Coordinates of all heavy atoms in Angstrom, one line a residue:
M1 N -18.5 48.0 -52.0 CA -19.5 48.0 -50.9 C -20.7 48.8 -51.3 O -21.8 48.3 -51.0 CB -18.8 48.6 -49.7 CG -19.7 48.7 -48.5 SD -20.1 47.0 -47.8 CE -21.0 47.5 -46.4
S2 N -20.6 49.9 -52.0 CA -21.7 50.7 -52.3 C -22.6 50.0 -53.3 O -23.9 50.2 -53.3 CB -21.3 52.0 -52.9 OG -20.6 51.9 -54.1
Q3 N -22.1 49.1 -54.2 CA -22.9 48.4 -55.2 C -23.6 47.3 -54.5 O -24.7 46.9 -54.9 CB -22.0 47.8 -56.3 CG -21.5 48.9 -57.2 CD -20.6 48.2 -58.3 OE1 -20.2 47.1 -58.2 NE2 -20.4 49.0 -59.4
M4 N -23.1 46.7 -53.4 CA -23.7 45.6 -52.7 C -25.0 46.1 -51.9 O -25.9 45.3 -51.7 CB -22.7 45.0 -51.7 CG -21.6 44.3 -52.4 SD -20.4 43.6 -51.3 CE -21.3 42.5 -50.3
I5 N -25.0 47.4 -51.5 CA -26.1 47.9 -50.8 C -27.3 48.3 -51.6 O -28.4 48.5 -51.1 CB -25.7 49.1 -49.9 CG1 -26.6 49.3 -48.7 CG2 -25.6 50.4 -50.7 CD1 -26.0 50.2 -47.6
V6 N -27.1 48.3 -53.0 CA -28.2 48.7 -53.9 C -29.3 47.6 -53.9 O -30.5 48.0 -53.8 CB -27.7 48.9 -55.3 CG1 -28.8 49.1 -56.3 CG2 -26.7 50.0 -55.3
F7 N -29.0 46.3 -53.8 CA -30.0 45.3 -53.9 C -30.9 45.3 -52.7 O -32.2 45.3 -52.8 CB -29.3 43.9 -54.1 CG -30.3 42.8 -54.2 CD1 -31.2 42.8 -55.3 CD2 -30.4 41.8 -53.3 CE1 -32.1 41.7 -55.5 CE2 -31.3 40.8 -53.4 CZ -32.2 40.7 -54.5
P8 N -30.4 45.4 -51.4 CA -31.3 45.5 -50.3 C -32.2 46.7 -50.3 O -33.4 46.7 -50.0 CB -30.4 45.5 -49.1 CG -29.2 45.0 -49.5 CD -29.1 45.3 -51.0
L9 N -31.7 47.8 -50.8 CA -32.5 49.1 -50.9 C -33.6 48.9 -52.0 O -34.7 49.4 -51.8 CB -31.6 50.3 -51.2 CG -30.7 50.7 -50.1 CD1 -29.8 51.8 -50.5 CD2 -31.4 50.9 -48.8
F10 N -33.2 48.2 -53.1 CA -34.2 47.9 -54.1 C -35.3 47.0 -53.6 O -36.5 47.3 -53.8 CB -33.5 47.2 -55.3 CG -34.4 46.7 -56.3 CD1 -35.0 47.6 -57.2 CD2 -34.7 45.3 -56.4 CE1 -35.9 47.1 -58.2 CE2 -35.6 44.8 -57.4 CZ -36.2 45.7 -58.3
L11 N -35.0 46.0 -52.8 CA -36.0 45.1 -52.2 C -36.9 45.9 -51.2 O -38.1 45.7 -51.2 CB -35.3 44.0 -51.4 CG -34.7 42.9 -52.2 CD1 -34.0 41.9 -51.3 CD2 -35.8 42.2 -53.0
L12 N -36.3 46.8 -50.5 CA -37.2 47.7 -49.6 C -38.1 48.6 -50.4 O -39.3 48.7 -50.0 CB -36.3 48.5 -48.7 CG -35.5 47.8 -47.6 CD1 -34.5 48.8 -46.9 CD2 -36.4 47.2 -46.6
A13 N -37.6 49.2 -51.4 CA -38.5 50.1 -52.2 C -39.6 49.3 -52.9 O -40.7 49.7 -52.9 CB -37.6 50.8 -53.3
V14 N -39.2 48.1 -53.5 CA -40.3 47.3 -54.2 C -41.3 46.8 -53.2 O -42.5 46.8 -53.4 CB -39.6 46.1 -54.9 CG1 -40.6 45.1 -55.4 CG2 -38.8 46.7 -56.1
G15 N -40.8 46.4 -52.0 CA -41.8 46.0 -51.0 C -42.7 47.0 -50.6 O -43.9 46.8 -50.4
L16 N -42.3 48.2 -50.4 CA -43.2 49.3 -50.0 C -44.1 49.7 -51.1 O -45.3 49.9 -50.9 CB -42.3 50.6 -49.6 CG -41.5 50.5 -48.3 CD1 -40.7 51.7 -48.1 CD2 -42.5 50.2 -47.2
L17 N -43.7 49.6 -52.4 CA -44.5 49.9 -53.5 C -45.6 48.8 -53.6 O -46.8 49.1 -53.8 CB -43.7 49.9 -54.8 CG -44.5 50.1 -56.1 CD1 -45.0 51.6 -56.1 CD2 -43.6 49.9 -57.3
V18 N -45.3 47.5 -53.4 CA -46.3 46.5 -53.5 C -47.3 46.6 -52.4 O -48.4 46.3 -52.5 CB -45.6 45.1 -53.5 CG1 -46.5 44.0 -53.4 CG2 -44.8 44.9 -54.8
M19 N -46.8 47.0 -51.2 CA -47.7 47.2 -50.1 C -48.7 48.3 -50.3 O -49.9 48.2 -49.8 CB -46.9 47.4 -48.8 CG -46.2 46.2 -48.3 SD -45.0 46.5 -47.0 CE -46.1 46.9 -45.6
V20 N -48.3 49.4 -50.9 CA -49.1 50.6 -51.1 C -50.0 50.4 -52.3 O -51.1 51.0 -52.3 CB -48.2 51.8 -51.2 CG1 -49.0 53.0 -51.6 CG2 -47.5 52.1 -49.9
Q21 N -49.7 49.7 -53.3 CA -50.4 49.6 -54.5 C -51.9 49.3 -54.4 O -52.7 49.9 -55.0 CB -49.8 48.5 -55.5 CG -50.4 48.4 -56.8 CD -49.8 47.4 -57.7 OE1 -48.8 46.7 -57.3 NE2 -50.3 47.3 -58.9
P22 N -52.3 48.3 -53.5 CA -53.8 48.0 -53.4 C -54.6 49.2 -52.9 O -55.8 49.2 -53.0 CB -53.8 46.8 -52.5 CG -52.5 46.2 -52.5 CD -51.5 47.3 -52.8
R23 N -54.0 50.2 -52.3 CA -54.7 51.3 -51.8 C -55.0 52.4 -52.9 O -55.8 53.3 -52.6 CB -53.9 52.0 -50.7 CG -53.7 51.0 -49.5 CD -53.1 51.7 -48.3 NE -52.8 50.8 -47.3 CZ -53.6 50.3 -46.4 NH1 -54.8 50.7 -46.4 NH2 -53.2 49.5 -45.4
T24 N -54.5 52.3 -54.1 CA -54.8 53.2 -55.1 C -56.1 53.0 -55.7 O -56.6 51.9 -55.8 CB -53.7 53.2 -56.2 OG1 -53.7 51.9 -56.8 CG2 -52.3 53.5 -55.6
K25 N -56.7 54.1 -56.2 CA -58.1 54.0 -56.8 C -58.0 53.2 -58.1 O -58.9 52.4 -58.4 CB -58.6 55.4 -57.1 CG -59.1 56.0 -55.8 CD -59.8 57.3 -56.2 CE -60.4 58.0 -54.9 NZ -61.2 59.2 -55.3
R26 N -56.9 53.4 -58.9 CA -56.8 52.6 -60.1 C -56.8 51.1 -59.9 O -57.4 50.4 -60.6 CB -55.6 53.1 -60.9 CG -55.4 52.4 -62.2 CD -54.1 53.0 -62.9 NE -54.0 52.3 -64.2 CZ -52.9 52.2 -64.8 NH1 -51.8 52.7 -64.3 NH2 -52.8 51.6 -65.9
W27 N -56.0 50.7 -58.9 CA -55.9 49.3 -58.6 C -57.2 48.7 -58.2 O -57.7 47.7 -58.6 CB -54.8 49.1 -57.5 CG -54.5 47.6 -57.3 CD1 -53.5 46.9 -57.9 CD2 -55.1 46.7 -56.4 NE1 -53.5 45.6 -57.4 CE2 -54.5 45.5 -56.5 CE3 -56.2 46.9 -55.5 CZ2 -54.9 44.4 -55.7 CZ3 -56.6 45.8 -54.7 CH2 -55.9 44.5 -54.9
Q28 N -57.9 49.5 -57.3 CA -59.2 49.0 -56.7 C -60.2 48.9 -57.8 O -61.0 48.0 -57.9 CB -59.7 49.9 -55.6 CG -58.8 49.8 -54.4 CD -59.3 50.7 -53.3 OE1 -60.2 51.6 -53.5 NE2 -58.7 50.6 -52.1
S29 N -60.2 49.9 -58.8 CA -61.2 49.8 -59.8 C -61.0 48.6 -60.8 O -61.9 48.0 -61.2 CB -61.3 51.1 -60.6 OG -60.1 51.3 -61.3
R30 N -59.7 48.4 -61.0 CA -59.4 47.2 -61.9 C -59.7 45.9 -61.2 O -60.2 45.0 -61.9 CB -57.9 47.2 -62.2 CG -57.5 48.3 -63.3 CD -56.1 48.2 -63.6 NE -55.8 49.2 -64.6 CZ -54.8 49.0 -65.5 NH1 -54.1 47.9 -65.5 NH2 -54.6 49.9 -66.5
M31 N -59.4 45.8 -59.9 CA -59.8 44.6 -59.2 C -61.3 44.4 -59.1 O -61.8 43.2 -59.2 CB -59.1 44.5 -57.8 CG -57.6 44.3 -57.9 SD -57.2 42.7 -58.6 CE -56.4 43.2 -60.1
N32 N -62.0 45.5 -58.9 CA -63.5 45.4 -58.8 C -64.0 44.9 -60.2 O -65.0 44.1 -60.2 CB -64.1 46.7 -58.4 CG -64.1 46.9 -57.0 OD1 -64.2 46.0 -56.2 ND2 -64.0 48.2 -56.5
A33 N -63.5 45.4 -61.3 CA -63.9 45.0 -62.6 C -63.5 43.5 -62.8 O -64.3 42.7 -63.4 CB -63.3 45.8 -63.7
Y34 N -62.3 43.1 -62.4 CA -61.9 41.7 -62.6 C -62.7 40.7 -61.8 O -63.1 39.7 -62.3 CB -60.4 41.6 -62.3 CG -59.8 40.3 -62.5 CD1 -59.5 39.9 -63.8 CD2 -59.6 39.4 -61.5 CE1 -59.0 38.6 -64.1 CE2 -59.0 38.1 -61.7 CZ -58.7 37.7 -63.0 OH -58.2 36.5 -63.3
F35 N -63.0 41.1 -60.6 CA -63.7 40.2 -59.7 C -65.2 40.4 -59.7 O -66.0 39.9 -58.9 CB -63.2 40.2 -58.3 CG -61.8 39.6 -58.1 CD1 -60.8 40.4 -57.6 CD2 -61.6 38.3 -58.5 CE1 -59.5 39.9 -57.5 CE2 -60.3 37.8 -58.3 CZ -59.3 38.6 -57.8
Q36 N -65.6 41.3 -60.6 CA -67.1 41.6 -60.8 C -67.7 42.1 -59.5 O -68.8 41.6 -59.2 CB -67.8 40.5 -61.5 CG -67.2 40.1 -62.8 CD -67.6 38.8 -63.3 OE1 -68.3 38.0 -62.6 NE2 -67.3 38.5 -64.5
G37 N -67.1 42.9 -58.7 CA -67.6 43.5 -57.6 C -67.6 42.7 -56.3 O -68.2 43.0 -55.3
D38 N -66.9 41.5 -56.3 CA -66.9 40.7 -55.2 C -65.8 41.2 -54.2 O -64.6 41.0 -54.3 CB -66.5 39.2 -55.6 CG -66.6 38.2 -54.4 OD1 -66.9 38.6 -53.3 OD2 -66.3 37.1 -54.7
E39 N -66.3 42.0 -53.2 CA -65.5 42.7 -52.2 C -64.6 41.7 -51.4 O -63.4 42.1 -51.1 CB -66.3 43.5 -51.3 CG -66.8 44.8 -51.9 CD -65.7 45.8 -52.3 OE1 -64.7 45.9 -51.6 OE2 -65.9 46.4 -53.4
R40 N -65.0 40.6 -51.1 CA -64.3 39.6 -50.4 C -63.0 39.2 -51.1 O -61.9 39.2 -50.6 CB -65.1 38.4 -50.1 CG -64.4 37.3 -49.2 CD -65.2 36.1 -49.1 NE -65.5 35.4 -50.3 CZ -64.8 34.6 -51.0 NH1 -63.6 34.3 -50.5 NH2 -65.1 34.1 -52.1
R41 N -63.1 39.0 -52.4 CA -62.0 38.6 -53.3 C -61.0 39.7 -53.5 O -59.8 39.6 -53.5 CB -62.5 38.1 -54.6 CG -63.4 36.9 -54.6 CD -62.9 35.5 -54.9 NE -61.7 35.3 -55.7 CZ -61.8 34.8 -56.9 NH1 -62.9 34.5 -57.5 NH2 -60.6 34.6 -57.6
V42 N -61.6 41.0 -53.6 CA -60.7 42.1 -53.7 C -59.9 42.4 -52.5 O -58.7 42.6 -52.5 CB -61.6 43.4 -54.1 CG1 -60.7 44.7 -54.0 CG2 -62.2 43.3 -55.4
K43 N -60.5 42.2 -51.3 CA -59.8 42.4 -50.1 C -58.8 41.3 -49.9 O -57.7 41.5 -49.4 CB -60.8 42.4 -48.9 CG -60.2 42.8 -47.6 CD -61.2 43.0 -46.5 CE -60.5 43.4 -45.2 NZ -61.5 43.7 -44.2
Q44 N -59.1 40.1 -50.3 CA -58.2 39.0 -50.2 C -57.0 39.2 -51.0 O -55.8 39.0 -50.6 CB -58.9 37.7 -50.6 CG -58.1 36.4 -50.4 CD -58.9 35.2 -50.8 OE1 -59.8 35.3 -51.6 NE2 -58.4 34.0 -50.4
R45 N -57.2 39.7 -52.2 CA -56.1 40.0 -53.1 C -55.2 41.2 -52.5 O -54.0 41.1 -52.6 CB -56.6 40.4 -54.5 CG -55.5 40.7 -55.6 CD -54.7 39.6 -56.0 NE -55.4 38.4 -56.4 CZ -55.6 38.1 -57.7 NH1 -55.2 38.9 -58.6 NH2 -56.3 37.1 -58.0
A46 N -55.8 42.2 -52.0 CA -55.1 43.3 -51.3 C -54.3 42.8 -50.2 O -53.1 43.2 -50.0 CB -56.1 44.4 -50.9
N47 N -54.8 41.9 -49.4 CA -54.0 41.3 -48.2 C -52.9 40.5 -48.7 O -51.8 40.5 -48.1 CB -54.9 40.5 -47.4 CG -55.9 41.3 -46.6 OD1 -55.7 42.5 -46.4 ND2 -57.0 40.7 -46.1
T48 N -53.1 39.8 -49.8 CA -52.0 39.0 -50.4 C -50.8 39.9 -50.9 O -49.7 39.7 -50.7 CB -52.5 38.2 -51.6 OG1 -53.5 37.3 -51.1 CG2 -51.4 37.4 -52.2
F49 N -51.2 41.1 -51.5 CA -50.2 42.0 -52.0 C -49.5 42.6 -50.8 O -48.2 42.8 -50.8 CB -50.8 43.1 -52.8 CG -50.8 42.8 -54.3 CD1 -51.7 41.9 -54.8 CD2 -50.0 43.5 -55.1 CE1 -51.7 41.6 -56.2 CE2 -50.0 43.2 -56.5 CZ -50.8 42.3 -57.0
F50 N -50.2 42.9 -49.7 CA -49.6 43.5 -48.5 C -48.5 42.5 -47.9 O -47.4 42.8 -47.6 CB -50.6 43.8 -47.5 CG -50.1 44.4 -46.2 CD1 -49.8 45.8 -46.2 CD2 -49.8 43.7 -45.1 CE1 -49.2 46.4 -45.1 CE2 -49.3 44.2 -44.0 CZ -49.0 45.6 -43.9
L51 N -48.9 41.2 -47.8 CA -48.0 40.2 -47.3 C -46.8 40.0 -48.2 O -45.7 39.8 -47.7 CB -48.7 38.9 -47.1 CG -49.8 38.9 -45.9 CD1 -50.5 37.5 -45.9 CD2 -49.1 39.1 -44.6
L52 N -47.0 40.0 -49.5 CA -45.9 39.9 -50.4 C -44.9 41.1 -50.3 O -43.7 40.9 -50.2 CB -46.4 39.8 -51.9 CG -45.3 39.7 -53.0 CD1 -44.6 38.4 -52.8 CD2 -46.0 39.8 -54.3
G53 N -45.4 42.3 -50.2 CA -44.6 43.5 -49.9 C -43.9 43.4 -48.6 O -42.7 43.8 -48.5
L54 N -44.5 42.9 -47.6 CA -43.9 42.8 -46.3 C -42.8 41.8 -46.3 O -41.7 42.0 -45.7 CB -44.9 42.3 -45.3 CG -44.5 42.4 -43.8 CD1 -44.2 43.8 -43.4 CD2 -45.7 41.8 -42.9
A55 N -42.9 40.7 -47.1 CA -41.8 39.7 -47.3 C -40.6 40.4 -48.0 O -39.5 40.1 -47.6 CB -42.3 38.5 -48.1
F56 N -40.9 41.2 -49.0 CA -39.8 41.9 -49.6 C -39.1 42.9 -48.7 O -37.8 42.9 -48.7 CB -40.3 42.7 -50.8 CG -40.4 42.0 -52.1 CD1 -41.5 41.3 -52.5 CD2 -39.3 41.9 -53.0 CE1 -41.6 40.6 -53.7 CE2 -39.4 41.2 -54.2 CZ -40.5 40.5 -54.5
V57 N -39.8 43.6 -47.8 CA -39.2 44.5 -46.9 C -38.4 43.7 -45.9 O -37.3 44.1 -45.6 CB -40.3 45.3 -46.1 CG1 -39.8 46.0 -44.9 CG2 -41.0 46.3 -47.1
F58 N -38.9 42.6 -45.4 CA -38.1 41.8 -44.4 C -36.9 41.2 -45.1 O -35.8 41.2 -44.4 CB -39.0 40.6 -43.9 CG -40.0 41.0 -42.8 CD1 -41.1 40.2 -42.6 CD2 -39.8 42.1 -42.1 CE1 -42.0 40.6 -41.7 CE2 -40.7 42.5 -41.1 CZ -41.8 41.7 -40.9
A59 N -37.0 40.8 -46.3 CA -35.8 40.3 -47.0 C -34.7 41.4 -47.2 O -33.5 41.2 -47.0 CB -36.2 39.7 -48.4
G60 N -35.2 42.6 -47.5 CA -34.3 43.8 -47.7 C -33.6 44.1 -46.4 O -32.4 44.3 -46.3
F61 N -34.3 44.1 -45.3 CA -33.7 44.3 -44.0 C -32.7 43.2 -43.6 O -31.7 43.5 -43.0 CB -34.8 44.5 -42.9 CG -35.4 45.8 -42.8 CD1 -36.7 46.0 -42.8 CD2 -34.6 47.0 -42.7 CE1 -37.3 47.3 -42.7 CE2 -35.1 48.2 -42.7 CZ -36.5 48.4 -42.7
A62 N -33.1 42.0 -43.9 CA -32.2 40.9 -43.6 C -30.8 41.0 -44.4 O -29.8 40.8 -43.8 CB -32.8 39.5 -44.0
Y63 N -30.9 41.4 -45.7 CA -29.7 41.6 -46.4 C -28.9 42.8 -45.9 O -27.7 42.7 -45.8 CB -30.0 41.9 -47.9 CG -30.2 40.6 -48.7 CD1 -31.4 40.4 -49.4 CD2 -29.2 39.8 -48.9 CE1 -31.6 39.2 -50.1 CE2 -29.3 38.6 -49.7 CZ -30.5 38.4 -50.3 OH -30.7 37.2 -51.0
L64 N -29.6 43.9 -45.5 CA -28.9 45.0 -44.9 C -28.2 44.6 -43.6 O -27.1 45.0 -43.4 CB -29.8 46.2 -44.7 CG -30.2 47.1 -45.8 CD1 -31.2 48.1 -45.5 CD2 -28.9 47.8 -46.3
F65 N -28.9 43.9 -42.8 CA -28.3 43.4 -41.5 C -27.1 42.6 -41.7 O -26.1 42.7 -41.0 CB -29.4 42.7 -40.7 CG -28.9 42.2 -39.4 CD1 -28.7 43.1 -38.3 CD2 -28.6 40.9 -39.1 CE1 -28.3 42.7 -37.1 CE2 -28.2 40.4 -37.9 CZ -28.0 41.4 -36.9
R66 N -27.2 41.7 -42.7 CA -26.0 40.8 -43.0 C -24.9 41.6 -43.6 O -23.7 41.3 -43.3 CB -26.5 39.8 -44.0 CG -25.5 38.7 -44.2 CD -26.0 37.5 -44.8 NE -25.0 36.5 -44.9 CZ -25.1 35.3 -45.5 NH1 -26.2 35.1 -46.1 NH2 -24.2 34.5 -45.5
L67 N -25.1 42.6 -44.4 CA -24.0 43.4 -45.0 C -23.3 44.3 -43.9 O -22.1 44.4 -43.9 CB -24.5 44.4 -46.1 CG -24.9 43.7 -47.4 CD1 -25.5 44.7 -48.3 CD2 -23.6 43.2 -48.0
V68 N -24.1 44.8 -43.0 CA -23.6 45.7 -42.0 C -22.9 44.9 -40.9 O -21.9 45.3 -40.4 CB -24.7 46.6 -41.4 CG1 -24.2 47.4 -40.2 CG2 -25.2 47.5 -42.4
G69 N -23.5 43.8 -40.5 CA -23.0 43.0 -39.4 C -21.9 42.1 -39.7 O -21.0 42.0 -40.3

C-alpha cells in the first residue's frame, strides 16, 4: 500500500513545481530572451504551465481519492 501512494504524491509534487516555475526570475528571463521581449507570449506560456501543473495536481488527487476510497 505504501508503494502505491508514492505515484499520486509524485504527481502532486510535480504539479506544484510546474505551477510555480514560471514565477521564477530565471524562467522569466529565459522566456523573455526566447520570445524576444513579447510579453503576451511569455504570459501565454506561463498560463500554459500553470494549467499543466493544475492537471497534474488534479490527477494526483484523483489517484489518492481512488486509493483511499
Side-chain angles (χ1 to χ4, degrees):
M1 178 72 177
S2 65
Q3 289 180 343
M4 292 175 60
I5 203 163
V6 172
F7 184 63
L9 294 178
F10 173 75
L11 285 176
L12 289 171
V14 168
L16 292 175
L17 181 67
V18 169
M19 289 170 70
V20 172
Q21 183 180 2
R23 299 190 187 275
T24 62
K25 284 187 177 185
R26 181 178 181 203
W27 189 91
Q28 289 178 356
S29 67
R30 285 181 176 213
M31 287 297 111
N32 277 328
Y34 182 77
F35 291 122
Q36 299 165 353
D38 188 358
E39 284 295 322
R40 183 185 58 86
R41 303 258 332 252
V42 172
K43 188 171 182 176
Q44 185 179 22
R45 181 67 56 97
N47 288 340
T48 302
F49 269 72
F50 182 83
L51 290 175
L52 180 65
L54 192 62
F56 273 92
V57 169
F58 284 156
F61 278 130
Y63 275 119
L64 277 176
F65 181 73
R66 189 163 184 188
L67 285 175
V68 173

